[in-house]
Amino acid sequence: EGEPRRTMKQFNTEITGYTVSYNANGGSGAPSSQTKTHGVTLTLSSTKPTRSGYSFLGWSTSSSATSASYSAGGTFSTNANTTLYAVWAKNKYTISYNANGGSGAPSSQTKTYGLDLTLSSTTPTRSGYTFKGWGTSSSSTTASYQPGGKYTSNSSATLYAVWESNAPTTYTVSYNANGGSGAPSSQTKTHGVTLTLSSTKPTR
């Protein structure tokens, strides 16, 4: 006698259940809708949608949520027809600097998907060399980026200092017969390249 009287509509809903729909909210691959029985906890689909440049955080009842209320494969106990919206976070990328034989490289920076990063204006130093900028390889001879420039790629990277030697590029090696005659002609040596000396011998 104490139990409240149910209307036909309430009775039918409890038997047929509720619809839980999924909205990829800018992504793709949302799961198919599920039916929840009144009073029975529903296990949400474990299928996760995808979105280029974003990480899936979970599901929310709001399309503008920044944190998730439900996880893929988690439990859902609300007794109502509900649409769950995917919650997304933009991917982050790490830009590291390598002084590449020098010192004083800037600290790493974080780039957000879809946003340009302004590279550090800090420049490394190396005795006897001039800093030319940043390359994408430790063997780069030309700079792809400059301090304070823009980095637009949506990927993590290590940038290597590009150096140019301040030393002359060539040197002259001269011979003196020192009291004899027939000294070899002078030769040109390139910086960093071993020179084979002349095989000509002076006489006295």
Side-chain angles (χ1 to χ4, degrees), residues 17-22 32-46 58-62 68-85:
Y18 310 94
T19 299
V20 178
S21 303
Y22 297 90
S32 300
S33 59
Q34 293 178 275
T35 300
K36 184 194 179 300
T37 302
H38 184 85
V40 178
T41 299
L42 172 69
T43 298
L44 296 174
S45 171
S46 58
W59 301 101
S60 173
T61 55
S62 167
S69 302
Y70 305 96
S71 59
T75 57
F76 182 83
S77 56
T78 301
N79 292 310
N81 292 327
T82 307
T83 298
L84 296 179
Y85 297 88

Side-chain angles (χ1 to χ4, degrees), residues 8 37 47 64 68 86 92 95 114 118 120 122 125 129 137 144 147-148 153-154 157 173 182 188 196:
M8 186 59 72
T37 302
T47 299
S64 58
K92 305 283 187 181
I95 309 304
T118 299
S120 172
T122 299
T125 57
Y129 289 81
S137 160
S144 302
S153 178
N154 290 309
V173 179
T188 299
T196 300

Side-chain angles (χ1 to χ4, degrees), residues 112-202:
T112 302
Y113 175 80
L115 300 177
D116 290 349
L117 172 69
T118 299
L119 296 174
S120 172
S121 57
T122 299
T123 57
T125 57
R126 183 180 180 186
S127 180
Y129 289 81
T130 298
F131 175 70
K132 305 300 288 183
W134 299 104
T136 55
S137 160
S138 60
S139 58
S140 295
T141 55
T142 57
S144 302
Y145 302 96
Q146 291 298 321
K150 298 292 184 190
Y151 182 87
T152 59
S153 178
N154 290 309
S155 60
S156 295
T158 298
L159 300 181
Y160 297 86
V162 178
W163 300 106
E164 182 177 83
S165 174
N166 295 336
T169 55
T170 59
Y171 310 89
T172 299
V173 179
S174 302
Y175 297 91
N176 186 314
N178 196 24
S181 62
S185 300
S186 62
Q187 293 177 276
T188 299
K189 183 191 181 299
T190 301
H191 184 82
V193 179
T194 300
L195 172 70
T196 300
L197 296 176
S198 172
S199 57
T200 300
K201 299 176 181 177

